[in-house]
């Protein structure tokens, strides 16, 4: 199987930690895909990719919070935004399993 | 994003800081030999890792790098006389040799014998690869010189420039490994808009970069940890069955290489902390096979690519923050993205616009920032490991720097590191 950092559609659910998950939204499908990759991550490179994905989730949720202040899901997205940051920091501590657990709370 | 603690850890390099200790495990470029051209020539001020130093070439041609301020009353030795194998302070006549030993103390009675017992801060230097390097760490950990290809070519195959930049070193490195910015910051308007005329122009271009680089603005990043640091593989779509790969190396502690295309000159940088707010940018162009061609010299002279014209005394670029980098709004409206001439000035302008030390707690990164994340994590890991007593592997293994950047077309099912294995070996 080719590695090369190919992005994969989040719906594909193909788990290869050498791939960067395409984070286009913060849907349950995307979160599941990121969580699955977190659980399979072991190397320096894997953790770099996971950090990039969590950065992307944090960024996208941040955009949502800024642009949709009256949204009915504002509080939930705010919690996910904070959760993504926590998961990001756990990956920085080389604890991808703990980061996955944090994200699972949002499924 | 980084935490504030991580950002501080990475960006503070004064003596006693964790990153400062890390940088002090490596030989660092400090001077062009032309700055101290002849024995007993005038000394020059050098600010490096937050320390104010003075460089001088003594009567025997040895280069000394010592504390700028006299050990006696802290007067600047810049005003001193470079004479008979030592630099003499003009205030009370104390004289220091290249090793920092006080070899004369004429205002003290000789029977006191203070002279040879007193030393000022002095760092060893080496002349290597067209530069003067210094090592500012503990003598027992003196590293190997990095076996960089550009340091091994003949002088006429290499050009090195030095410039002063008003940012922390890390911002500069991050610019050097961020492949996706070149689709924007360095693009002509035609390239940015991918106009029909532009596509027609590059379709049959002889260089891969011209042909493929600007046609895919959302490249995919792959990183691989190596003995020397990280290799960053950046993939863009090319023909249906091929990808265009650009391989950039980040070599510890702060060297980078721009993807090389066979037959052209190679370019690289070394980004050295001057202090936390400023850095020295060393830019190297070299041709591993032949003397630099007239066309390559023209690119250097015209400042269209990685070199920028500087004030020869201060190394401050002619295009700088104070004059808005000679920004031409008409050129920006009609010709290129920035209205600023030359890649080096464009990089410097945008990096300095972020402030001296960017607040990385406020970033919004995406997957196109993978290379930056990798470099930061590797540096953090190395800095923390040194703090725990583990010496950096690269510092004592100069051979690991024997690599070359690359750009090439590969079939879509070929791993970039396998496909580029031969191309990324240095050869000189």
């Amino acid at each position: 199987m080719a590695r090369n950092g190919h992005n994969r559609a989040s719906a594909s659910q193909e788990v290869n930690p050498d791939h960067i998950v395409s984070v286009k939204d913060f849907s349950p499908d995307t979160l599941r895909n990121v969580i699955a990759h977190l659980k399979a991550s072991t190397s320096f490179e894997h953790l770099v990719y996971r950090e990039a994905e969590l950065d992307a989730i944090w960024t996208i949720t941040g955009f949502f919070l800024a642009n949709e202040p009256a949204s009915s899901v504002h509080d939930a997205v705010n919690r996910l935004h904070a959760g993504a940051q926590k998961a990001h920091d756990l990956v920085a501590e080389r604890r991808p399993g703990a980061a996955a657990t944090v994200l699972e709370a949002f499924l | 994003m980084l935490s504030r603690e991580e950002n501080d850890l990475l960006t503070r390099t004064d003596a006693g800081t964790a990153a400062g200790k890390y940088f002090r495990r490596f030989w660092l470029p400090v001077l062009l030999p032309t700055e101290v051209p002849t024995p007993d020539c005038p000394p020059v001020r050098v600010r490096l890792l937050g320390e104010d130093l003075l460089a001088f070439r003594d009567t025997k041609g040895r280069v000394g790098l010592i504390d700028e301020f006299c050990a006696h009353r802290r007067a600047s030795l810049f005003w001193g006389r470079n004479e008979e194998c030592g630099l003499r302070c003009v205030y009370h006549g104390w004289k220091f040799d290249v090793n920092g030993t006080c070899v004369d103390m004429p205002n003290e009675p000789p029977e006191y014998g203070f002279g040879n017992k007193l030393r000022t801060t002095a760092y060893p230097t080496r002349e290597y690869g067209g530069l003067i390097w210094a090592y500012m760490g503990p003598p027992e950990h003196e590293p190997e010189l990095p076996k960089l290809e550009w340091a091994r070519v003949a002088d006429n195959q290499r050009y090195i420039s030095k410039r002063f930049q008003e940012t922390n070193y890390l911002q500069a490195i991050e610019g050097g490994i961020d492949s996706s910015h070149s689709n924007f910051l360095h693009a002509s308007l035609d390239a940015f808009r991918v106009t029909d005329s532009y596509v027609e122009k590059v379709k049959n271009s002889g260089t891969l970069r011209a042909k493929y680089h600007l046609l895919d603005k959302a490249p995919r990043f792959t990183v691989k940890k190596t003995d020397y640091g990280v290799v960053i593989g950046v993939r863009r779509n090319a023909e249906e069955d091929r990808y265009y790969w650009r391989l950039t190396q980040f070599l510890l502690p702060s060297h980078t290489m721009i993807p090389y295309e066979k037959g052209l000159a190679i370019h690289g940088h070394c980004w050295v902390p001057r202090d936390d707010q400023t850095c020295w940018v060393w830019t190297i162009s070299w041709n591993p096979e032949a003397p630099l061609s007239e066309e390559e010299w023209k690119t250097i002279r015209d400042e269209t690519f990685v070199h920028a014209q500087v004030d020869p005394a201060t190394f401050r670029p002619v295009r700088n923050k104070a004059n808005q980098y000679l920004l031409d709004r008409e050129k920006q409206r009609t010709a290129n993205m920035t209205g600023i001439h030359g890649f080096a000035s464009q990089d410097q302008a945008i990096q300095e616009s972020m402030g001296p030390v960017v607040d990385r707690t406020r970033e919004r990164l995406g997957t196109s920032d993978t290379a930056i994340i990798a470099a930061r994590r590797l540096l953090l890991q190395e800095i923390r490991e040194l703090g725990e007593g583990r010496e950096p592997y690269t510092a004592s293994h100069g051979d690991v720097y024997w690599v070359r950047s690359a750009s090439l077309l590969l079939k879509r099912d070929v791993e970039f590191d396998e496909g580029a294995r031969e191309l990324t070996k240095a050869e000189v």
Side-chain angles (χ1 to χ4, degrees), chain B residues 138-168:
Chain B
E140 66 273 23
H141 291 298
E142 187 171 306
E144 293 185 8
L145 283 159
K147 192 179 173 186
L148 290 152
E149 186 179 54
W150 58 259
R152 300 299 186 99
V153 299
D155 286 348
N156 65 357
Q157 291 174 241
R158 171 182 62 222
Y159 176 74
I160 301 176
S161 65
K162 171 185 180 181
R163 67 180 159 87
F164 169 75
Q165 178 158 316
E166 294 178 64
T167 71
N168 183 268

Short mmCIF file of all heavy atoms in Angstrom, two decimals, chain B residues 138-168:
data_model
loop_
_atom_site.label_atom_id
_atom_site.label_comp_id
_atom_site.label_asym_id
_atom_site.label_seq_id
_atom_site.Cartn_x
_atom_site.Cartn_y
_atom_site.Cartn_z
N PRO B 138 30.40 23.68 25.61
CA PRO B 138 31.44 23.15 26.49
C PRO B 138 32.54 22.46 25.68
O PRO B 138 32.25 21.71 24.76
CB PRO B 138 30.69 22.10 27.34
CG PRO B 138 29.24 22.34 27.09
CD PRO B 138 29.10 23.03 25.79
N PRO B 139 33.81 22.72 26.02
CA PRO B 139 34.92 22.14 25.23
C PRO B 139 34.84 20.62 25.13
O PRO B 139 35.20 20.05 24.09
CB PRO B 139 36.16 22.57 26.03
CG PRO B 139 35.74 23.77 26.80
CD PRO B 139 34.28 23.60 27.09
N GLU B 140 34.36 19.98 26.16
CA GLU B 140 34.33 18.50 26.15
C GLU B 140 33.28 17.96 25.17
O GLU B 140 33.27 16.76 24.88
CB GLU B 140 34.09 17.94 27.56
CG GLU B 140 32.73 18.25 28.17
CD GLU B 140 32.69 19.59 28.91
OE1 GLU B 140 33.52 20.46 28.61
OE2 GLU B 140 31.79 19.75 29.76
N HIS B 141 32.42 18.82 24.67
CA HIS B 141 31.40 18.37 23.70
C HIS B 141 31.62 18.99 22.32
O HIS B 141 30.67 19.07 21.53
CB HIS B 141 30.00 18.71 24.21
CG HIS B 141 29.58 17.92 25.40
ND1 HIS B 141 29.45 16.56 25.39
CD2 HIS B 141 29.31 18.32 26.67
CE1 HIS B 141 29.08 16.14 26.59
NE2 HIS B 141 29.00 17.18 27.40
N GLU B 142 32.84 19.41 22.03
CA GLU B 142 33.08 20.05 20.73
C GLU B 142 32.66 19.10 19.60
O GLU B 142 33.11 17.96 19.54
CB GLU B 142 34.55 20.44 20.57
CG GLU B 142 34.79 21.25 19.30
CD GLU B 142 36.20 21.82 19.22
OE1 GLU B 142 36.62 22.51 20.16
OE2 GLU B 142 36.87 21.56 18.21
N PRO B 143 31.77 19.57 18.72
CA PRO B 143 31.19 18.67 17.71
C PRO B 143 32.06 18.54 16.47
O PRO B 143 33.10 19.19 16.35
CB PRO B 143 29.88 19.36 17.36
CG PRO B 143 30.19 20.82 17.53
CD PRO B 143 31.20 20.92 18.65
N GLU B 144 31.59 17.71 15.54
CA GLU B 144 32.22 17.65 14.22
C GLU B 144 31.64 18.77 13.36
O GLU B 144 30.49 19.17 13.54
CB GLU B 144 31.91 16.30 13.55
CG GLU B 144 32.57 15.13 14.24
CD GLU B 144 32.35 13.82 13.48
OE1 GLU B 144 31.83 13.86 12.35
OE2 GLU B 144 32.71 12.77 14.04
N LEU B 145 32.43 19.23 12.40
CA LEU B 145 31.88 20.16 11.42
C LEU B 145 30.90 19.39 10.53
O LEU B 145 31.15 18.22 10.20
CB LEU B 145 33.00 20.76 10.57
CG LEU B 145 33.80 21.86 11.27
CD1 LEU B 145 35.16 22.04 10.61
CD2 LEU B 145 33.02 23.18 11.24
N PRO B 146 29.80 20.01 10.14
CA PRO B 146 28.83 19.30 9.30
C PRO B 146 29.36 19.08 7.90
O PRO B 146 29.84 20.03 7.26
CB PRO B 146 27.62 20.24 9.29
CG PRO B 146 28.19 21.59 9.55
CD PRO B 146 29.39 21.39 10.44
N LYS B 147 29.29 17.86 7.43
CA LYS B 147 29.80 17.54 6.09
C LYS B 147 28.73 17.89 5.05
O LYS B 147 28.09 17.03 4.46
CB LYS B 147 30.15 16.06 6.03
CG LYS B 147 30.94 15.65 4.80
CD LYS B 147 31.26 14.16 4.82
CE LYS B 147 31.89 13.70 3.54
NZ LYS B 147 32.06 12.23 3.51
N LEU B 148 28.55 19.19 4.90
CA LEU B 148 27.57 19.69 3.93
C LEU B 148 28.22 19.77 2.56
O LEU B 148 29.37 20.19 2.43
CB LEU B 148 27.10 21.08 4.37
CG LEU B 148 26.22 21.09 5.62
CD1 LEU B 148 26.35 22.41 6.37
CD2 LEU B 148 24.76 20.84 5.25
N GLU B 149 27.45 19.40 1.54
CA GLU B 149 28.02 19.37 0.20
C GLU B 149 28.56 20.74 -0.21
O GLU B 149 29.64 20.85 -0.79
CB GLU B 149 26.99 18.88 -0.82
CG GLU B 149 27.57 18.69 -2.20
CD GLU B 149 26.54 18.18 -3.20
OE1 GLU B 149 25.49 18.82 -3.33
OE2 GLU B 149 26.80 17.16 -3.85
N TRP B 150 27.82 21.79 0.11
CA TRP B 150 28.25 23.12 -0.32
C TRP B 150 29.57 23.53 0.33
O TRP B 150 30.29 24.37 -0.20
CB TRP B 150 27.17 24.17 -0.09
CG TRP B 150 26.65 24.36 1.31
CD1 TRP B 150 25.48 23.88 1.82
CD2 TRP B 150 27.25 25.13 2.37
NE1 TRP B 150 25.32 24.29 3.12
CE2 TRP B 150 26.39 25.05 3.48
CE3 TRP B 150 28.43 25.87 2.48
CZ2 TRP B 150 26.67 25.68 4.69
CZ3 TRP B 150 28.71 26.51 3.68
CH2 TRP B 150 27.85 26.41 4.77
N ALA B 151 29.86 22.94 1.48
CA ALA B 151 31.13 23.28 2.14
C ALA B 151 32.31 22.56 1.50
O ALA B 151 33.46 22.89 1.79
CB ALA B 151 31.04 22.93 3.63
N ARG B 152 32.04 21.58 0.65
CA ARG B 152 33.12 20.78 0.06
C ARG B 152 33.41 21.13 -1.39
O ARG B 152 34.33 20.58 -1.97
CB ARG B 152 32.74 19.28 0.15
CG ARG B 152 32.53 18.77 1.56
CD ARG B 152 33.81 18.94 2.38
NE ARG B 152 33.70 18.34 3.69
CZ ARG B 152 34.18 17.15 4.02
NH1 ARG B 152 34.79 16.42 3.11
NH2 ARG B 152 34.07 16.69 5.24
N VAL B 153 32.61 21.98 -2.00
CA VAL B 153 32.88 22.31 -3.41
C VAL B 153 33.94 23.40 -3.50
O VAL B 153 34.24 24.09 -2.51
CB VAL B 153 31.59 22.78 -4.16
CG1 VAL B 153 30.53 21.70 -4.15
CG2 VAL B 153 31.06 24.07 -3.57
N ALA B 154 34.53 23.55 -4.70
CA ALA B 154 35.53 24.60 -4.90
C ALA B 154 34.87 25.98 -4.76
O ALA B 154 33.66 26.13 -4.97
CB ALA B 154 36.14 24.45 -6.29
N ASP B 155 35.70 26.97 -4.42
CA ASP B 155 35.16 28.31 -4.18
C ASP B 155 34.37 28.85 -5.38
O ASP B 155 33.37 29.55 -5.22
CB ASP B 155 36.30 29.29 -3.86
CG ASP B 155 36.84 29.06 -2.45
OD1 ASP B 155 36.19 28.33 -1.67
OD2 ASP B 155 37.93 29.59 -2.15
N ASN B 156 34.82 28.51 -6.61
CA ASN B 156 34.12 29.05 -7.78
C ASN B 156 32.82 28.30 -8.11
O ASN B 156 32.13 28.63 -9.06
CB ASN B 156 35.05 29.11 -8.99
CG ASN B 156 35.48 27.73 -9.47
OD1 ASN B 156 35.12 26.72 -8.85
ND2 ASN B 156 36.24 27.71 -10.55
N GLN B 157 32.52 27.29 -7.31
CA GLN B 157 31.24 26.57 -7.49
C GLN B 157 30.21 26.98 -6.44
O GLN B 157 29.15 26.36 -6.32
CB GLN B 157 31.48 25.05 -7.40
CG GLN B 157 32.28 24.50 -8.57
CD GLN B 157 32.63 23.04 -8.39
OE1 GLN B 157 33.80 22.68 -8.36
NE2 GLN B 157 31.63 22.19 -8.27
N ARG B 158 30.54 28.02 -5.68
CA ARG B 158 29.69 28.35 -4.52
C ARG B 158 29.61 29.86 -4.35
O ARG B 158 30.59 30.58 -4.59
CB ARG B 158 30.33 27.72 -3.28
CG ARG B 158 29.72 28.11 -1.96
CD ARG B 158 30.48 27.46 -0.82
NE ARG B 158 31.86 27.90 -0.75
CZ ARG B 158 32.90 27.10 -0.51
NH1 ARG B 158 32.70 25.82 -0.27
NH2 ARG B 158 34.12 27.59 -0.47
N TYR B 159 28.44 30.33 -3.93
CA TYR B 159 28.29 31.74 -3.53
C TYR B 159 27.52 31.75 -2.21
O TYR B 159 26.49 31.07 -2.07
CB TYR B 159 27.54 32.55 -4.59
CG TYR B 159 27.29 33.97 -4.16
CD1 TYR B 159 28.34 34.90 -4.12
CD2 TYR B 159 26.03 34.38 -3.74
CE1 TYR B 159 28.11 36.20 -3.71
CE2 TYR B 159 25.79 35.69 -3.32
CZ TYR B 159 26.84 36.59 -3.31
OH TYR B 159 26.63 37.88 -2.88
N ILE B 160 28.03 32.53 -1.26
CA ILE B 160 27.37 32.62 0.05
C ILE B 160 27.08 34.08 0.35
O ILE B 160 27.95 34.94 0.19
CB ILE B 160 28.27 32.05 1.17
CG1 ILE B 160 28.63 30.59 0.89
CG2 ILE B 160 27.56 32.16 2.52
CD1 ILE B 160 29.61 29.98 1.89
N SER B 161 25.85 34.36 0.77
CA SER B 161 25.53 35.71 1.23
C SER B 161 25.00 35.65 2.65
O SER B 161 24.54 34.61 3.13
CB SER B 161 24.52 36.38 0.29
OG SER B 161 23.27 35.71 0.33
N LYS B 162 25.08 36.79 3.30
CA LYS B 162 24.68 36.91 4.70
C LYS B 162 23.74 38.09 4.82
O LYS B 162 24.00 39.15 4.22
CB LYS B 162 25.95 37.15 5.53
CG LYS B 162 25.74 37.51 6.99
CD LYS B 162 27.09 37.84 7.64
CE LYS B 162 26.95 38.21 9.10
NZ LYS B 162 28.27 38.55 9.71
N ARG B 163 22.66 37.91 5.53
CA ARG B 163 21.80 39.07 5.76
C ARG B 163 21.19 39.04 7.15
O ARG B 163 21.05 37.98 7.77
CB ARG B 163 20.72 39.20 4.68
CG ARG B 163 19.67 38.15 4.65
CD ARG B 163 18.66 38.41 3.52
NE ARG B 163 17.96 37.20 3.15
CZ ARG B 163 16.85 36.79 3.75
NH1 ARG B 163 16.32 37.48 4.72
NH2 ARG B 163 16.27 35.67 3.35
N PHE B 164 20.86 40.23 7.60
CA PHE B 164 20.31 40.45 8.93
C PHE B 164 18.79 40.42 8.81
O PHE B 164 18.22 41.06 7.93
CB PHE B 164 20.80 41.82 9.40
CG PHE B 164 20.16 42.35 10.63
CD1 PHE B 164 20.47 41.84 11.88
CD2 PHE B 164 19.25 43.39 10.55
CE1 PHE B 164 19.89 42.36 13.03
CE2 PHE B 164 18.66 43.93 11.69
CZ PHE B 164 18.98 43.40 12.93
N GLN B 165 18.15 39.67 9.68
CA GLN B 165 16.68 39.62 9.63
C GLN B 165 16.11 39.91 11.01
O GLN B 165 16.58 39.37 12.01
CB GLN B 165 16.21 38.26 9.12
CG GLN B 165 14.68 38.14 9.10
CD GLN B 165 14.17 37.06 8.17
OE1 GLN B 165 14.64 36.94 7.05
NE2 GLN B 165 13.18 36.31 8.61
N GLU B 166 15.05 40.72 11.01
CA GLU B 166 14.47 41.14 12.29
C GLU B 166 13.36 40.19 12.73
O GLU B 166 12.21 40.60 12.93
CB GLU B 166 13.97 42.58 12.18
CG GLU B 166 15.12 43.56 11.97
CD GLU B 166 14.67 44.99 11.79
OE1 GLU B 166 14.10 45.55 12.74
OE2 GLU B 166 14.88 45.54 10.70
N THR B 167 13.71 38.92 12.84
CA THR B 167 12.80 37.94 13.44
C THR B 167 13.64 36.90 14.17
O THR B 167 14.82 36.73 13.90
CB THR B 167 11.97 37.15 12.40
OG1 THR B 167 12.85 36.24 11.70
CG2 THR B 167 11.25 38.03 11.43
N ASN B 168 12.97 36.20 15.05
CA ASN B 168 13.56 35.03 15.67
C ASN B 168 13.92 34.00 14.58
O ASN B 168 13.27 33.95 13.54
CB ASN B 168 12.52 34.45 16.63
CG ASN B 168 13.01 33.26 17.39
OD1 ASN B 168 12.83 32.13 16.96
ND2 ASN B 168 13.64 33.50 18.52
#
